Amino acid sequence: MPLYFFHLRTPHGLERDAFGLDRPSVESAYLEACRTIPDLCVDLLNEGTAPLACAFLICDADDTELIEVPFNEQLHDGRRPGRPNPVPEQFACLAEVRKGRRLVAEMRAQIAEMRASAAEMRAAARRVCPSIEAAGPAEA
């Protein structure tokens, strides 16, 4: 059975596998690396190493690199990580934010209407009684 070495590349450098494992094929060696990654991630995190930046380099007995197995691809099933699914509390918060924005817009429209009405009332009052302008508040 061929001997395969599972060198570990981390942000700190390359940790060489001195012993290797006998596996029937390179595909079997690849599957072994994939099975090892989740457990190794726990150890790496405990050491303060970012597992997503690590990879196995599978080499043959001549130390020829056969396959690189990036941890980030295995931890994300080969997919790029997407946005997490929102939880119901987030939906409720978003609904409240939208409601608040709608209410603010409605209040601004009502304030604009009130200012226009006040300006019309002042103009009408000036026409009826010109002396009100001297006694009333100044327009903004």
Side-chain angles (χ1 to χ4, degrees), residues 40-56:
L40 186 56
C41 284
V42 173
D43 296 333
L44 291 168
L45 286 169
N46 287 333
E47 294 171 5
T49 301
L52 293 178
C54 298
F56 274 125

Side-chain angles (χ1 to χ4, degrees), residues 16-57:
R16 300 185 71 77
D17 177 6
F19 303 104
L21 291 173
D22 291 321
R23 290 291 172 253
S25 66
V26 69
E27 291 84 8
S28 177
Y30 171 81
L31 293 174
E32 181 66 29
C34 292
R35 278 192 293 272
T36 306
I37 288 173
D39 292 332
L40 186 56
C41 284
V42 173
D43 296 333
L44 291 168
L45 286 169
N46 287 333
E47 294 171 5
T49 301
L52 293 178
C54 298
F56 274 125
L57 303 178

